[in-house]
Amino acid sequence: MQRALALDASPPLSFSLRFFITAPLFVIFAAFILLVAGPQALSSRWHPAILAITHLLVLGTLAQTMIGALLQILLVATGITVF
């Protein structure tokens, strides 16, 4: 028994595109925090601004991109239809 991709179960582009579009917004928020905090934010890795920037970049940017890609391929690989 050979399994094939269920291309008819692929979600619409807007389903995963909303994750890809919001990912750069977190980078902009992180840059804004660094701009507001100034150079003293880079003095320690435990500075609240650096912790906020780290979380924005990791959880905001990377997680949004990974979830968008995962939802796009998972539905095609498993054959589940969302809509």
Side-chain angles (χ1 to χ4, degrees):
M1 180 173 162
Q2 184 177 0
R3 303 197 80 179
L5 294 176
L7 297 177
D8 55 338
S10 64
L13 184 60
S14 65
F15 185 68
S16 61
L17 193 61
R18 68 183 78 156
F19 293 101
F20 295 131
I21 288 176
T22 57
L25 294 177
F26 288 100
V27 175
I28 293 170
F29 291 151
F32 179 72
I33 289 175
L34 187 59
L35 183 68
V36 169
Q40 66 270 17
L42 300 174
S43 63
S44 171
R45 65 178 173 177
W46 300 113
H47 194 278
I50 292 298
L51 291 174
I53 289 169
T54 302
H55 281 87
L56 282 171
L57 292 177
V58 172
L59 295 177
T61 306
L62 293 177
Q64 291 284 335
T65 307
M66 287 188 293
I67 289 171
L70 181 69
L71 288 176
Q72 184 71 31
I73 193 66
L74 189 64
L75 300 177
V76 174
T78 59
I80 299 171
T81 57
V82 175
F83 298 101

